[in-house]
Amino acid sequence: MDLFRLTISTLLARKMWVVILLVAIITPIVFPLFTPYESNPPLLEPARAQTTWTCAWIIGILWTLSQAARFGESNSRSGIGSYFRSQGLGSLRQIFAIWSAIMLFLLPVVLIAIGTCLLFAMPADSQEASMWVWTNLQFATLFLLTIGPLALLGVGLGSRFGALVGYVAPTGLCLYGLYGVTYLGMTIRLRDDNKLLEWLYAVSPQYHLADLTPRLIFKMGHLPWPDFAGFFLYFLAITLVLGSFATLLFRTDPLRN
């Protein structure tokens, strides 16, 4: 059995994926019903879309990143990495085998999010419906370009520093890029000519650009294609940086004293 199938088998055996899929399916359908949507029925669809993608973000951050760190640590500390290395499977192939297996379990969550938005939150107007489809597809692409590299970083960090560091560091980076950078930008606007903050903002990952929830809530339509292409290339560049860093950190054998 190769490392990819071993990781898949381990994830299947743990059964947590069943809970994840149930949460991804049930939460977006049930939770918006607890809002006072009866007074304004058109608000139900945007609320359902918001809940759907918020749930996807939570699953990606809490579950996917934690599994990446956990498998990265177990691969090196249990001796599995050393065994597969002795069989000719190098470190680069090992890290991508683990990462691919973990991301394979995230894909159904993304597909469920898209399906829920298209089946239970689709606007009635044909023009809005077309933009709604493209917005969700753009959202899915940017979402995967955010969580994917962070999961790869989690595998690399987990193999070298343990599961705790492998989870906390990518999670902190993700939350900072989603929310912290926004507050940093507000601080820069209040404090003129602060070169240090401006430099920090420039090198910070702008993960908030990947969150298209406001465009779904307010039915703003999909991103203009030149803007989306720019975002895509930007996140692709972050992928290359984090991927290179993760592969350099990744180790297949346990640390020796």
Side-chain angles (χ1 to χ4, degrees):
M1 179 179 290
D2 58 35
L3 186 56
F4 174 78
R5 287 188 293 170
L6 178 61
T7 306
I8 291 288
S9 300
T10 305
L11 285 167
L12 289 173
R14 289 175 180 173
K15 298 293 191 301
M16 189 62 189
W17 60 274
V18 177
V19 178
I20 296 300
L21 291 182
L22 288 176
V23 170
I25 294 171
I26 296 174
T27 302
I29 297 175
V30 174
F31 272 37
L33 298 178
F34 291 98
T35 62
Y37 70 93
E38 296 91 346
S39 58
N40 194 353
L43 292 179
L44 181 61
E45 293 175 352
R48 186 158 284 158
Q50 180 182 17
T51 306
T52 297
W53 282 107
T54 300
C55 184
W57 279 111
I58 292 174
I59 291 172
I61 293 171
L62 292 183
W63 186 76
T64 303
L65 297 185
S66 65
Q67 292 303 306
R70 185 175 179 181
F71 275 100
E73 180 187 47
S74 64
N75 187 69
S76 61
R77 294 196 177 182
S78 66
I80 294 175
S82 298
Y83 167 76
F84 279 107
R85 192 177 185 88
S86 68
Q87 300 299 309
L89 193 67
S91 59
L92 191 63
R93 292 175 61 188
Q94 286 193 36
I95 188 174
F96 279 103
I98 296 171
W99 175 81
S100 300
I102 294 170
M103 292 302 295
L104 187 62
F105 278 77
L106 182 63
L107 283 179
V109 176
V110 177
L111 294 176
I112 289 170
I114 296 173
T116 302
C117 288
L118 298 186
L119 293 175
F120 300 100
M122 178 78 81
D125 182 78
S126 59
Q127 186 175 2
E128 288 186 355
S130 176
M131 292 189 294
W132 186 265
V133 173
W134 285 115
T135 304
N136 279 279
L137 293 177
Q138 288 180 344
F139 201 158
T141 302
L142 297 178
F143 173 80
L144 290 172
L145 281 174
T146 299
I147 298 298
L150 290 171
L152 190 64
L153 180 62
V155 177
L157 287 170
S159 69
R160 185 166 292 272
F161 302 111
L164 181 61
V165 175
Y167 174 68
V168 171
T171 299
L173 188 63
C174 184
L175 294 177
Y176 170 68
L178 284 172
Y179 307 108
V181 169
T182 303
Y183 291 105
L184 180 60
M186 295 170 58
T187 303
I188 292 174
R189 286 192 291 270
L190 293 174
R191 297 185 178 184
D192 295 333
D193 199 29
N194 192 318
K195 299 300 181 183
L196 179 60
L197 291 180
E198 291 176 2
W199 176 84
L200 180 61
Y201 183 83
V203 300
S204 297
Q206 309 290 324
Y207 287 135
H208 60 92
L209 298 176
D211 187 4
L212 302 186
T213 306
R215 305 192 73 88
L216 293 175
I217 295 175
F218 300 108
K219 297 184 179 179
M220 299 165 61
H222 60 78
L223 287 168
W225 291 109
D227 293 344
F228 176 73
F231 290 175
F232 182 86
L233 292 175
Y234 172 74
F235 286 113
L236 191 61
I238 293 180
T239 299
L240 294 176
V241 172
L242 293 184
S244 300
F245 191 58
T247 53
L248 288 173
L249 284 172
F250 184 73
R251 61 181 302 124
T252 57
D253 55 324
L255 287 170
R256 294 180 175 84
N257 297 327

